[in-house]
Each structure stands twice: as structure tokens, then as C-alpha cells.
Amino acid sequence: ALFVIIPICVTVLMIKGYHNVEYPIKTHVTITLKKGSSQIDSLKIAFMSDLHIGEVIKRNLVHRYVTMFNEEKPDIILIGGDIMDFESRFAENMHCEEELRQLKAPLGVYMILGNHEYRANRFAKFRWLKKTGATLLVDSVVEPAKSFYLVGRDDLTNKDRQPLQTLLRGLDRTKPVIVLDHQPVTISEMEIENVALSLHGHTHNGQIWPYNYFIKLTYPCSHGYYRRGPTQVFVTSGIGVAGPPFRVGTHSELVILHVKFK
């Protein structure tokens, strides 16, 4: 009986695990930020991280993710790093940049680097990322709608990345500041600098049970919504996968943030 039951259970888990990757859930979150001198009352952010385009996440899945994003009609689209898995040749050969160029948002599409962008042929990756049509933020700041600041940090892998304090110097701090940073390890820095909202990925929420418990021990903010002093934090489980094409006990997700300025 065990020889029959065990293979059946494993097969069911694998099918369910792949389904969790192929069909991401949409996580809707409502967040209220201090308006300050912002000129807008609300903002709809579509946020994803950790696509890991490669041998597992191929063009057909990228197309599905893009379609899901555009269905939401967001004001702005943010991609939180780890766009590619290990090498750039898979994304290049499949021309996945053609799919990402279909992302539409009136305030723009922005992306940052993750730790996987620093693996293998990183300069080829940087060249490919420019083909996606998104604005790549590497320790840089933009001011969409002249109503809030979006800070895109370089990944922590680069030990020479700029301190957050340096990036915020000279900004009009009466406007809300949103920080996009791949790894959720600098939350205390966000709190000290009175960042309104910080968005992260990287953890995959463990991806496969029971690793989510180990992730919680490693990262105080491992998945979901948190509040740390003046800073609100959201860590996504990511929309793709690293390694095996399965999620057991976790889901790939697309995050829709409904931000209200008051």
C-alpha cells in the first residue's frame, strides 16, 4: 500500500506545486500614507519580483504574467529584481524582452537589480534589461507625477552601493518616499530615514515547505505586510521560482497595492 500511496502523493504535490507557479495569485493590499505635499490622492501599484526567467520560467509564463499585470490597469509598475535566473541567454533566445515591453502604466515601468543579476554574465544581463523598455533604477531616484519619490536601490551584492541617506539627500521630504530594494535586510535603515513605504522580494517565502519556517528565522520581514515605526513594508513571495519549478505551501504572487494619500 505504501509503494502505491507514496508515489501518488508525491505526484499530486508536484502537479499542485507546478500549478502554484503557472497560475500566480493576486494579492491586494490597501495602504494609507501621509500625503504631505503630494498632488495625488491615490496610487495603484502593480508589484512583482523574482521572475527568474530561464530554463523554468519561459516566455509563455512571462506573457501570462504581463497579461495579468495589464488587466489591473495600474498607475505604475514596479519589478523588484532577479528578473533573470542564472544566465541571460535564455531570456535573449526566447526574446522575453518583447513580452516585458507590453507592460503598460501611465506613470511608467521601473525595475531594479537583484542578486541574480550579479551572477554569471552580468554585463550581458544589464544590456538585455535595457531592451525591456523599463526604466532601470540603480541607486537612483525618480519623481513620478511630481508627487512622490521612487528610490531604486542597487542590490546588496554590490558592497559599494550608495547608502540610503546619500540617495535621499536634497529631496523634498514633505513628499512621500517609496523605496524599491530587492533584499529585505535594511528595514531599520528605512525606519531611520522615515521612508513611507519599502518594497522587497528575494525570500520566495521559502518556496517549498518547510523552508518558509527557516526564512522567517533569517528575515524578520520575510513575507507580507509589516509596519516598522514610520515605515510600512511589503515583502512579496515572488512571481517566479529558483531551482525546481514547484511551490509547495507557498504561491507565486502578483501584488496590487492600493495606496491612499491622506
Side-chain angles (χ1 to χ4, degrees), residues 89-149:
R89 60 188 174 95
F90 296 100
E92 291 168 344
N93 293 339
M94 293 184 289
H95 296 287
C96 290
E97 72 278 0
E98 295 177 2
E99 299 296 340
L100 292 176
R101 278 202 295 265
Q102 301 307 310
L103 289 169
K104 304 296 181 186
L107 295 184
V109 180
Y110 298 90
M111 62 171 58
I112 60 170
L113 302 175
N115 56 297
H116 276 250
E117 270 69 63
Y118 280 96
R119 296 183 178 182
N121 49 344
R122 63 189 178 108
F123 294 110
K125 290 177 179 177
F126 295 167
R127 288 193 297 269
W128 181 84
L129 288 172
K130 292 180 180 179
K131 297 179 182 178
T132 64
T135 300
L136 180 62
L137 300 177
V138 185
D139 278 346
S140 51
V141 184
V142 292
E143 190 182 359
K146 298 187 181 300
S147 293
F148 64 95
Y149 292 108

Coordinates of all heavy atoms in Angstrom, one line a residue, residues 89-149:
R89 N 21.2 34.1 -21.6 CA 20.9 33.5 -22.9 C 19.5 33.0 -23.1 O 19.0 33.0 -24.2 CB 22.0 32.4 -23.2 CG 22.0 31.2 -22.3 CD 23.1 30.3 -22.6 NE 23.2 29.2 -21.7 CZ 22.7 28.0 -21.8 NH1 22.0 27.8 -22.9 NH2 22.8 27.1 -20.9
F90 N 18.9 32.5 -22.0 CA 17.6 32.0 -22.1 C 16.6 33.1 -22.4 O 15.7 33.0 -23.3 CB 17.1 31.3 -20.8 CG 18.0 30.1 -20.5 CD1 19.0 30.1 -19.6 CD2 17.7 28.9 -21.1 CE1 19.8 29.0 -19.3 CE2 18.5 27.8 -20.9 CZ 19.5 27.8 -19.9
A91 N 16.7 34.2 -21.7 CA 15.8 35.4 -21.9 C 16.1 36.0 -23.3 O 15.2 36.4 -24.0 CB 16.1 36.5 -20.8
E92 N 17.4 36.0 -23.7 CA 17.7 36.5 -25.0 C 17.2 35.7 -26.1 O 16.6 36.2 -27.1 CB 19.3 36.6 -25.1 CG 19.8 37.7 -24.2 CD 21.4 37.6 -24.1 OE1 21.9 36.5 -24.5 OE2 22.0 38.6 -23.6
N93 N 17.4 34.3 -26.0 CA 17.0 33.4 -27.1 C 15.5 33.4 -27.3 O 14.9 33.2 -28.4 CB 17.6 32.0 -26.9 CG 19.1 32.0 -27.0 OD1 19.7 32.9 -27.6 ND2 19.7 31.0 -26.4
M94 N 14.8 33.5 -26.1 CA 13.3 33.5 -26.2 C 12.7 34.9 -26.5 O 11.5 35.0 -26.6 CB 12.7 33.0 -24.8 CG 13.0 31.5 -24.6 SD 12.3 30.9 -23.0 CE 13.3 31.7 -21.8
H95 N 13.6 35.9 -26.5 CA 13.1 37.3 -26.7 C 12.0 37.7 -25.7 O 11.0 38.3 -26.1 CB 12.6 37.5 -28.2 CG 13.7 37.3 -29.2 ND1 14.7 38.2 -29.4 CD2 14.0 36.2 -30.1 CE1 15.5 37.7 -30.4 NE2 15.1 36.5 -30.8
C96 N 12.3 37.4 -24.5 CA 11.3 37.8 -23.4 C 11.2 39.3 -23.3 O 10.2 39.7 -22.7 CB 11.7 37.1 -22.1 SG 11.5 35.3 -22.1
E97 N 12.2 40.0 -23.8 CA 12.0 41.5 -23.7 C 10.8 42.0 -24.5 O 10.2 43.0 -24.1 CB 13.3 42.1 -24.2 CG 13.5 42.1 -25.7 CD 14.2 40.8 -26.2 OE1 14.4 39.9 -25.3 OE2 14.4 40.7 -27.4
E98 N 10.4 41.2 -25.5 CA 9.2 41.6 -26.3 C 8.0 41.5 -25.4 O 7.0 42.3 -25.6 CB 9.1 40.7 -27.5 CG 10.3 40.9 -28.5 CD 10.2 40.0 -29.7 OE1 9.2 39.2 -29.8 OE2 11.0 40.0 -30.6
E99 N 7.9 40.6 -24.5 CA 6.8 40.5 -23.6 C 6.8 41.6 -22.6 O 5.8 42.3 -22.3 CB 6.8 39.1 -22.9 CG 6.7 37.9 -23.8 CD 5.4 37.8 -24.6 OE1 4.4 38.5 -24.2 OE2 5.4 37.2 -25.6
L100 N 8.0 41.9 -22.0 CA 8.0 42.9 -20.9 C 7.8 44.3 -21.5 O 7.3 45.2 -20.8 CB 9.4 42.8 -20.3 CG 9.7 41.6 -19.4 CD1 11.1 41.6 -18.9 CD2 8.7 41.4 -18.3
R101 N 8.1 44.5 -22.8 CA 7.8 45.8 -23.4 C 6.3 46.0 -23.5 O 5.9 47.2 -23.7 CB 8.4 45.9 -24.8 CG 9.9 46.2 -24.8 CD 10.3 46.8 -26.1 NE 10.3 45.9 -27.2 CZ 11.3 45.1 -27.6 NH1 12.4 45.2 -27.0 NH2 11.1 44.3 -28.6
Q102 N 5.5 45.0 -23.3 CA 4.0 45.2 -23.4 C 3.4 45.7 -22.0 O 2.2 46.0 -22.0 CB 3.3 43.8 -23.8 CG 3.8 43.3 -25.1 CD 3.6 44.3 -26.2 OE1 2.6 44.9 -26.4 NE2 4.7 44.5 -27.0
L103 N 4.2 45.7 -21.0 CA 3.7 46.3 -19.7 C 3.4 47.7 -19.9 O 4.1 48.5 -20.4 CB 4.8 46.1 -18.6 CG 5.1 44.7 -18.1 CD1 6.3 44.7 -17.3 CD2 3.9 44.2 -17.4
K104 N 2.2 48.1 -19.5 CA 1.7 49.5 -19.7 C 1.2 50.1 -18.3 O 0.5 49.5 -17.6 CB 0.5 49.5 -20.6 CG 0.8 48.8 -22.0 CD 1.8 49.5 -22.8 CE 2.1 48.9 -24.1 NZ 3.2 49.5 -24.9
A105 N 1.7 51.3 -18.1 CA 1.3 52.1 -16.9 C 1.6 53.5 -17.2 O 2.6 53.9 -17.7 CB 2.0 51.6 -15.7
P106 N 0.6 54.4 -16.9 CA 0.8 55.8 -17.3 C 2.0 56.5 -16.6 O 2.6 57.4 -17.1 CB -0.5 56.5 -16.8 CG -1.2 55.5 -15.9 CD -0.7 54.2 -16.4
L107 N 2.3 56.0 -15.3 CA 3.4 56.7 -14.6 C 4.8 55.9 -14.9 O 5.8 56.2 -14.3 CB 3.1 56.7 -13.1 CG 2.0 57.6 -12.7 CD1 1.9 57.7 -11.2 CD2 2.2 59.0 -13.3
G108 N 4.7 54.9 -15.7 CA 5.9 54.2 -16.1 C 6.1 52.8 -15.5 O 5.4 52.4 -14.6
V109 N 7.1 52.1 -16.0 CA 7.5 50.8 -15.6 C 9.0 50.9 -15.1 O 9.8 51.3 -15.8 CB 7.4 49.7 -16.7 CG1 7.9 48.4 -16.2 CG2 6.0 49.7 -17.3
Y110 N 9.2 50.5 -13.8 CA 10.5 50.6 -13.2 C 11.0 49.3 -12.7 O 10.2 48.5 -12.2 CB 10.5 51.7 -12.1 CG 10.1 53.0 -12.5 CD1 8.8 53.4 -12.5 CD2 11.1 53.9 -13.0 CE1 8.4 54.7 -13.0 CE2 10.7 55.2 -13.4 CZ 9.4 55.6 -13.4 OH 9.0 56.8 -13.8
M111 N 12.3 49.0 -12.8 CA 12.9 47.8 -12.3 C 14.2 48.1 -11.6 O 14.8 49.1 -11.8 CB 13.0 46.7 -13.4 CG 14.0 47.1 -14.5 SD 14.3 45.8 -15.6 CE 12.7 45.3 -16.2
I112 N 14.6 47.2 -10.7 CA 15.8 47.2 -10.0 C 16.6 45.9 -10.2 O 16.0 44.9 -10.7 CB 15.7 47.6 -8.5 CG1 14.9 46.5 -7.8 CG2 15.1 48.9 -8.3 CD1 14.9 46.5 -6.3
L113 N 17.8 45.9 -9.8 CA 18.6 44.7 -9.9 C 18.4 43.8 -8.6 O 18.2 44.3 -7.5 CB 20.1 45.1 -10.0 CG 20.5 45.9 -11.2 CD1 22.0 46.3 -11.1 CD2 20.2 45.2 -12.5
G114 N 18.6 42.5 -8.8 CA 18.6 41.6 -7.7 C 20.0 40.9 -7.6 O 20.8 41.1 -8.4
N115 N 20.1 40.0 -6.7 CA 21.4 39.3 -6.6 C 21.7 38.4 -7.8 O 22.8 38.2 -8.1 CB 21.4 38.4 -5.3 CG 20.3 37.5 -5.2 OD1 19.1 37.9 -5.1 ND2 20.6 36.2 -5.1
H116 N 20.6 37.9 -8.4 CA 20.8 37.0 -9.6 C 21.4 37.8 -10.8 O 22.0 37.2 -11.7 CB 19.6 36.3 -10.0 CG 19.3 35.0 -9.2 ND1 19.5 33.8 -9.7 CD2 19.1 34.9 -7.8 CE1 19.2 32.9 -8.8 NE2 19.0 33.5 -7.6
E117 N 21.1 39.1 -10.8 CA 21.7 39.9 -11.9 C 23.2 40.0 -11.8 O 23.8 40.4 -12.8 CB 21.0 41.3 -11.9 CG 19.8 41.4 -12.8 CD 18.6 40.7 -12.2 OE1 18.1 41.1 -11.1 OE2 18.1 39.8 -12.8
Y118 N 23.7 39.7 -10.7 CA 25.2 39.8 -10.5 C 25.8 38.4 -10.6 O 27.0 38.3 -10.4 CB 25.5 40.4 -9.1 CG 25.4 41.9 -9.0 CD1 24.2 42.5 -8.6 CD2 26.5 42.7 -9.5 CE1 24.1 43.9 -8.6 CE2 26.4 44.0 -9.5 CZ 25.2 44.6 -9.0 OH 25.1 46.0 -9.0
R119 N 25.1 37.4 -11.0 CA 25.6 36.1 -11.3 C 26.0 35.9 -12.8 O 25.3 36.5 -13.6 CB 24.7 35.0 -10.8 CG 24.4 35.0 -9.3 CD 23.5 33.9 -8.9 NE 23.3 33.9 -7.4 CZ 22.6 33.0 -6.8 NH1 22.0 32.0 -7.4 NH2 22.5 33.1 -5.5
A120 N 26.9 35.1 -13.0 CA 27.3 34.7 -14.4 C 27.6 36.0 -15.2 O 28.2 36.9 -14.8 CB 26.2 33.8 -15.0
N121 N 27.0 36.0 -16.5 CA 27.4 37.1 -17.4 C 26.6 38.4 -17.1 O 25.6 38.8 -17.9 CB 27.1 36.6 -18.8 CG 25.7 36.0 -19.0 OD1 25.1 35.6 -18.0 ND2 25.3 35.8 -20.2
R122 N 27.0 39.1 -16.1 CA 26.1 40.2 -15.6 C 26.1 41.4 -16.6 O 25.1 42.1 -16.7 CB 26.6 40.7 -14.2 CG 28.0 41.2 -14.1 CD 28.4 41.4 -12.7 NE 29.7 41.9 -12.5 CZ 30.0 43.2 -12.1 NH1 29.1 44.0 -11.9 NH2 31.3 43.5 -11.9
F123 N 27.2 41.6 -17.3 CA 27.1 42.8 -18.2 C 26.2 42.5 -19.4 O 25.5 43.4 -19.9 CB 28.6 43.1 -18.8 CG 29.5 43.6 -17.7 CD1 30.5 42.8 -17.2 CD2 29.3 44.8 -17.1 CE1 31.3 43.2 -16.2 CE2 30.1 45.3 -16.1 CZ 31.1 44.5 -15.6
A124 N 26.1 41.2 -19.8 CA 25.1 40.9 -20.9 C 23.7 41.0 -20.3 O 22.8 41.5 -21.0 CB 25.4 39.4 -21.3
K125 N 23.5 40.8 -19.0 CA 22.2 40.9 -18.4 C 21.8 42.4 -18.4 O 20.7 42.8 -18.7 CB 22.2 40.4 -17.0 CG 22.3 38.8 -16.9 CD 22.4 38.4 -15.5 CE 22.5 36.9 -15.4 NZ 22.6 36.4 -14.0
F126 N 22.8 43.3 -18.0 CA 22.5 44.7 -18.0 C 22.1 45.2 -19.4 O 21.2 46.0 -19.5 CB 23.7 45.5 -17.5 CG 24.1 45.1 -16.0 CD1 25.3 45.6 -15.5 CD2 23.2 44.4 -15.2 CE1 25.6 45.3 -14.2 CE2 23.5 44.1 -13.9 CZ 24.8 44.6 -13.4
R127 N 22.8 44.7 -20.4 CA 22.4 45.1 -21.8 C 21.0 44.7 -22.1 O 20.3 45.4 -22.8 CB 23.5 44.6 -22.8 CG 24.8 45.3 -22.7 CD 25.7 44.9 -23.9 NE 26.0 43.5 -24.0 CZ 27.1 43.0 -23.4 NH1 27.9 43.7 -22.7 NH2 27.3 41.7 -23.5
W128 N 20.7 43.4 -21.8 CA 19.4 42.9 -22.1 C 18.3 43.6 -21.3 O 17.2 43.9 -21.9 CB 19.3 41.4 -21.8 CG 18.0 40.8 -22.1 CD1 17.6 40.3 -23.3 CD2 16.9 40.6 -21.2 NE1 16.3 39.9 -23.3 CE2 15.8 40.1 -22.0 CE3 16.6 40.9 -19.9 CZ2 14.6 39.8 -21.4 CZ3 15.4 40.6 -19.3 CH2 14.4 40.1 -20.1
L129 N 18.5 44.0 -20.1 CA 17.5 44.7 -19.3 C 17.1 46.0 -20.0 O 15.9 46.4 -19.9 CB 18.0 44.9 -17.9 CG 18.1 43.7 -17.0 CD1 18.8 44.0 -15.7 CD2 16.7 43.1 -16.7
K130 N 18.0 46.7 -20.6 CA 17.7 47.9 -21.3 C 16.8 47.7 -22.5 O 16.1 48.6 -22.9 CB 19.0 48.6 -21.8 CG 19.9 49.1 -20.6 CD 21.2 49.7 -21.2 CE 22.1 50.2 -20.0 NZ 23.3 50.8 -20.5
K131 N 16.7 46.5 -23.0 CA 15.8 46.2 -24.1 C 14.4 46.0 -23.7 O 13.5 46.0 -24.5 CB 16.3 44.9 -24.8 CG 17.7 45.0 -25.5 CD 18.0 43.7 -26.1 CE 19.4 43.7 -26.7 NZ 19.8 42.3 -27.3
T132 N 14.1 45.9 -22.4 CA 12.7 45.6 -21.9 C 11.9 46.9 -22.0 O 10.6 46.8 -21.9 CB 12.8 45.1 -20.5 OG1 13.3 46.2 -19.6 CG2 13.6 43.9 -20.4
G133 N 12.5 48.0 -22.1 CA 11.7 49.3 -22.2 C 11.4 49.9 -20.8 O 10.9 51.0 -20.7
A134 N 11.7 49.1 -19.7 CA 11.5 49.6 -18.4 C 12.7 50.5 -18.0 O 13.8 50.4 -18.6 CB 11.4 48.4 -17.4
T135 N 12.4 51.4 -17.1 CA 13.5 52.3 -16.5 C 14.2 51.5 -15.4 O 13.6 51.1 -14.4 CB 12.9 53.6 -16.0 OG1 12.2 54.3 -17.0 CG2 14.0 54.5 -15.4
L136 N 15.5 51.3 -15.6 CA 16.3 50.6 -14.6 C 16.8 51.6 -13.6 O 17.6 52.5 -14.0 CB 17.4 49.8 -15.3 CG 18.4 49.0 -14.4 CD1 17.6 47.9 -13.6 CD2 19.5 48.4 -15.2
L137 N 16.5 51.4 -12.4 CA 16.9 52.3 -11.3 C 18.1 51.6 -10.5 O 17.8 50.5 -9.9 CB 15.8 52.6 -10.3 CG 14.6 53.3 -10.9 CD1 13.5 53.5 -9.9 CD2 15.0 54.7 -11.5
V138 N 19.2 52.1 -10.6 CA 20.4 51.6 -9.9 C 21.0 52.7 -9.0 O 21.7 53.6 -9.5 CB 21.5 51.1 -10.8 CG1 22.6 50.4 -10.0 CG2 20.9 50.1 -11.8
D139 N 20.6 52.7 -7.7 CA 20.9 53.8 -6.8 C 20.5 55.1 -7.4 O 21.3 56.1 -7.5 CB 22.4 53.7 -6.5 CG 22.8 52.7 -5.4 OD1 21.9 52.3 -4.7 OD2 24.0 52.4 -5.3
S140 N 19.3 55.2 -7.8 CA 18.8 56.4 -8.4 C 17.4 56.7 -8.0 O 16.7 55.8 -7.4 CB 18.9 56.3 -9.9 OG 18.3 55.2 -10.4
V141 N 17.0 57.9 -8.2 CA 15.7 58.4 -7.7 C 14.9 59.1 -8.9 O 15.5 59.8 -9.7 CB 15.9 59.5 -6.6 CG1 14.5 59.9 -6.0 CG2 16.8 58.9 -5.5
V142 N 13.6 58.8 -8.9 CA 12.7 59.5 -9.9 C 11.5 60.0 -9.1 O 11.3 59.7 -7.9 CB 12.2 58.5 -11.0 CG1 13.3 58.1 -11.9 CG2 11.5 57.3 -10.4
E143 N 10.8 61.0 -9.7 CA 9.7 61.6 -9.1 C 8.4 61.5 -10.0 O 8.1 62.5 -10.6 CB 10.0 63.1 -8.8 CG 9.0 63.8 -7.9 CD 9.4 65.3 -7.7 OE1 10.5 65.7 -8.2 OE2 8.7 66.0 -7.0
P144 N 7.8 60.4 -10.0 CA 6.6 60.2 -10.8 C 5.5 61.2 -10.4 O 5.2 61.4 -9.3 CB 6.2 58.8 -10.6 CG 7.4 58.1 -10.1 CD 8.1 59.1 -9.3
A145 N 4.9 61.8 -11.5 CA 3.8 62.8 -11.3 C 4.2 63.9 -10.4 O 3.3 64.7 -9.9 CB 2.5 62.1 -10.7
K146 N 5.5 64.1 -10.1 CA 6.0 65.2 -9.2 C 5.2 65.1 -7.9 O 5.1 66.2 -7.2 CB 5.8 66.5 -9.9 CG 6.6 66.7 -11.2 CD 6.6 68.1 -11.7 CE 7.4 68.2 -13.0 NZ 8.8 67.9 -12.8
S147 N 4.8 63.9 -7.4 CA 4.1 63.8 -6.2 C 4.7 62.9 -5.2 O 4.2 62.9 -4.0 CB 2.6 63.3 -6.5 OG 1.9 64.3 -7.3
F148 N 5.6 62.1 -5.5 CA 6.3 61.2 -4.6 C 7.6 60.8 -5.2 O 7.8 60.9 -6.4 CB 5.4 60.0 -4.2 CG 5.2 59.0 -5.4 CD1 6.0 57.9 -5.6 CD2 4.2 59.2 -6.3 CE1 5.8 57.1 -6.7 CE2 3.9 58.4 -7.4 CZ 4.8 57.3 -7.6
Y149 N 8.5 60.3 -4.3 CA 9.8 59.9 -4.8 C 9.9 58.3 -4.8 O 9.4 57.7 -3.9 CB 10.9 60.4 -3.9 CG 11.1 61.9 -4.0 CD1 10.7 62.7 -2.9 CD2 11.7 62.5 -5.1 CE1 10.9 64.1 -2.9 CE2 11.9 63.9 -5.1 CZ 11.5 64.6 -4.1 OH 11.7 66.0 -4.1

